[in-house]
Amino acid sequence: MKALITGITGQDGSYLADLLLEKGYQVWGMVRRASTENFERIEHIKDRVTLVQADLLDQLSIIEIIRDIKPDEVYNLAAQSFVPTSWVQPVLTGEFTALGVTRMLEAIRLVDKKVKFYQASSSEMFGKVREVPQNELTPFHPRSPYGVAKVYGHWITINYRESYDIFACSGILFNHESPRRGKEFVTRKITDAAARIKLGLQKELMLGNLDAKRDWGFAGDYVRAMWLMLQQPRPDDFVIATGRNHSVREFCQAAFAHAGLDYQQYVKTDPKLVRPAEVDILLGDASKAKKELDWEPRVAFEEMVRMMVDSDLEHYRREMR
């Protein structure tokens, strides 16, 4: 089996590449030409995957790699994925995160409609939630340019599935974290700060809304769900979540406690870090995925937080040595 992963250098792309290699796939990763390349997350498998240059903004480059590789499966994980940046660069976010999906689907339609396609949808599409918990039938009310772009990507995937009979699935993934999470995301910002404060490298941590609640799972569990979706007899869309949520405050408490610290002494709030339109509570109902995909999360919230703090502590201890 041959798989193409867009966004292979990101958190999810690297875990998905690990999983597919374990299953005996030949794995290609689509990367953009950049003046500084960051392959840190895939350094351990770089000699086992093939990296090809293309860009979600360039239709022809995508058509050519689909034609050249002839993949069985395409996992579209590339996007401008940081919500705060989507407020600063809303047009670029739309180009990558919304229209980029169309370009991928168009390439499949033009080259080979038998290619199976996975689209990374997001719980941010629910935004100002209409019901708790959220499932596949919950209406969307996105509260950021990123969320709006993801809604477009989600519906264009359904549209191509229904219009062109393409095996196209969307995974509506709730927040999922790991030691490979980027430091700009609040979870990694917290665990990184807990490690640095513990080792005397930092004095305090500035955050925005501590009361926002998220359904946080482990990225390694969630990429398994992506793969399972493309192994089903029929394409469909699935919510992937743990069914438990925690506030940012609780995340701070767990991370700092694991480092032997009281978060209240170090965490400060900064109004400038609060989103223009906040998403207050996300909680996913993954009943359909559990029933139809036989998928269950294996790593609990507390274990994931400990894993992230331990990884950051080890990183800075190594640096200090």
Side-chain angles (χ1 to χ4, degrees):
M1 292 288 283
K2 292 192 282 191
L4 171 66
I5 303 172
T6 75
I8 193 170
T9 60
Q11 169 188 254
D12 293 8
S14 65
Y15 278 111
L16 179 61
D18 287 342
L19 177 77
L20 296 179
L21 288 170
E22 277 174 29
K23 294 185 177 295
Y25 278 66
Q26 293 176 20
V27 176
W28 277 261
M30 189 179 109
V31 293
R32 275 188 301 152
R33 171 77 184 90
S35 53
T36 54
E37 294 177 328
N38 181 9
F39 298 142
E40 183 187 350
R41 295 185 183 95
I42 56 167
E43 205 59 55
H44 64 294
I45 53 167
K46 211 166 158 218
D47 59 342
R48 299 173 61 202
V49 301
T50 306
L51 300 180
V52 286
Q53 283 190 1
D55 198 307
L56 285 180
L57 303 187
D58 181 32
Q59 181 72 75
L60 186 58
S61 69
I62 298 168
I63 290 170
E64 285 180 346
I65 65 166
I66 297 288
R67 187 182 290 142
D68 293 346
I69 295 168
K70 300 181 175 60
D72 299 288
E73 300 171 356
V74 171
Y75 296 85
N76 185 42
L77 311 185
Q80 191 303 97
S81 61
F82 189 44
V83 174
T85 297
S86 77
W87 291 104
V88 182
Q89 299 181 321
V91 176
L92 188 68
T93 299
E95 285 285 352
F96 275 117
T97 309
L99 293 178
V101 188
T102 314
R103 294 186 189 104
M104 291 301 304
L105 287 162
E106 241 337 66
I108 290 170
R109 183 184 75 82
L110 291 168
V111 177
D112 181 5
K113 288 198 284 188
K114 293 193 294 296
V115 175
K116 293 184 175 184
F117 178 78
Y118 171 83
Q119 166 58 15
S121 287
S122 167
S123 58
E124 287 285 333
M125 301 189 304
F126 296 119
K128 191 174 182 181
V129 299
R130 311 286 183 89
E131 60 186 7
V132 180
Q134 296 90 48
N135 61 34
E136 293 80 5
L137 301 177
T138 302
F140 300 136
H141 188 147
R143 297 267 280 174
S144 67
Y146 169 77
V148 173
K150 279 293 185 185
V151 171
Y152 175 97
H154 182 80
W155 279 109
I156 202 69
T157 301
I158 293 170
N159 203 262
Y160 270 69
R161 178 169 76 213
E162 294 177 351
S163 303
Y164 300 118
D165 198 27
I166 291 171
F167 193 110
C169 301
S170 281
I172 307 172
L173 271 55
F174 278 65
N175 295 62
H176 45 288
E177 317 300 320
S178 76
R180 299 182 195 175
R181 185 51 125 172
K183 287 184 188 175
E184 69 273 24
F185 290 86
V186 68
T187 50
R188 184 72 195 289
K189 194 174 172 183
I190 293 166
T191 63
D192 184 75
R196 288 175 59 82
I197 290 168
K198 175 69 175 178
L199 299 173
L201 301 171
Q202 187 173 322
K203 288 195 166 61
E204 62 181 18
L205 170 63
M206 304 302 291
L207 294 175
N209 180 10
L210 296 182
D211 297 315
K213 287 193 160 188
R214 296 290 182 270
D215 183 329
W216 275 303
F218 173 57
D221 286 338
Y222 285 40
V223 299
R224 195 171 73 253
M226 299 176 187
W227 176 78
L228 284 167
M229 286 178 214
L230 296 196
Q231 313 316 309
Q232 302 308 303
R234 286 181 311 279
D236 206 348
D237 307 318
F238 295 89
V239 162
I240 304 298
T242 69
R244 292 174 63 203
N245 64 7
H246 299 83
S247 65
V248 175
R249 190 185 305 279
E250 289 173 281
F251 199 109
C252 290
Q253 190 171 7
F256 277 76
H258 186 59
L261 302 168
D262 176 2
Y263 85 98
Q264 293 179 85
Q265 293 180 26
Y266 305 100
V267 177
K268 308 283 190 286
T269 54
D270 181 352
K272 292 198 293 290
L273 296 174
V274 176
R275 295 182 185 183
E278 183 57 89
V279 174
D280 294 313
I281 179 163
L282 292 175
L283 179 65
D285 174 4
S287 305
K288 182 178 170 184
K290 289 176 182 178
K291 183 181 172 190
E292 295 185 23
L293 304 179
D294 194 24
W295 176 85
E296 288 274 358
R298 294 171 183 167
V299 176
F301 171 78
E302 295 78 10
E303 185 184 345
M304 179 194 70
V305 175
R306 290 195 297 269
M307 188 191 301
M308 292 173 70
V309 173
D310 287 341
S311 172
D312 285 326
L313 280 167
E314 174 58 27
H315 168 75
Y316 287 113
R317 282 180 180 137
R318 235 185 359 254
E319 272 198 355
M320 290 165 79
R321 283 199 297 271

